[in-house]
Amino acid sequence: QVQLVESGGGLVQAGGSLRLSCAASGRTFSSYVTAWFRQAPGKEREFVAAIRWSIGAPFYADSVKGRFTISRDNAKNTMYLQMNSLKPEDTAVYYCAAHNNLIRVASGNYDYWGQGTQVTVSS
């Protein structure tokens, strides 16, 4: 059984930075894609970034490109999201997700989800 556990959320002022972590367990992720999604109150869950675990190739939503960086540490089985130049519109619950397929931006493609971590950016 795959388990994903997010951490690192919190309250930060606009322009600040946070780093989210997603610790994965239950299997090896060499053939997996892992991703970050976010959901703000009253809005649908949206794609943020994804990475192919085997080669580390990242893919970003336009809204975060140049500000967020996704990475993974194979030895620790952990994925990260470094978020810089945060804006109030980045406020949301951030989720990590995984599936054994290509990078997809639709949340329905992902089989495994974490419980989420709250990120709040004040203006």
Side-chain angles (χ1 to χ4, degrees):
Q1 182 71 16
V2 173
Q3 289 189 324
L4 303 173
V5 179
E6 304 96 334
S7 61
L11 173 64
V12 64
Q13 288 188 330
S17 298
L18 280 175
R19 188 177 81 155
L20 306 182
S21 299
C22 173
S25 62
R27 64 163 300 121
T28 58
F29 286 83
S30 58
S31 62
Y32 272 58
V33 164
T34 52
W36 289 99
F37 286 79
R38 66 187 181 186
Q39 188 165 20
K43 295 188 177 182
E44 293 187 353
R45 192 167 296 188
E46 68 169 343
F47 173 83
V48 175
I51 191 165
R52 291 184 64 183
W53 203 268
S54 59
I55 61 174
F59 182 78
Y60 299 96
D62 288 343
S63 60
V64 305
K65 201 173 295 183
R67 300 189 298 124
F68 291 9
T69 302
I70 189 172
S71 62
R72 89 279 184 254
D73 184 326
N74 286 349
K76 296 182 178 179
N77 238 24
T78 300
M79 176 178 66
Y80 303 98
L81 186 68
Q82 177 66 43
M83 305 185 294
N84 298 329
S85 302
L86 282 162
K87 305 175 181 179
E89 51 264 44
D90 294 318
T91 295
V93 177
Y94 283 70
Y95 298 90
C96 65
H99 77 151
N100 188 8
N101 211 312
L102 302 176
I103 288 180
R104 306 289 186 193
V105 300
S107 60
N109 288 290
Y110 291 79
D111 300 312
Y112 306 103
W113 291 86
Q115 81 290 350
T117 186
Q118 176 71 47
V119 171
T120 303
V121 184
S122 63
S123 57

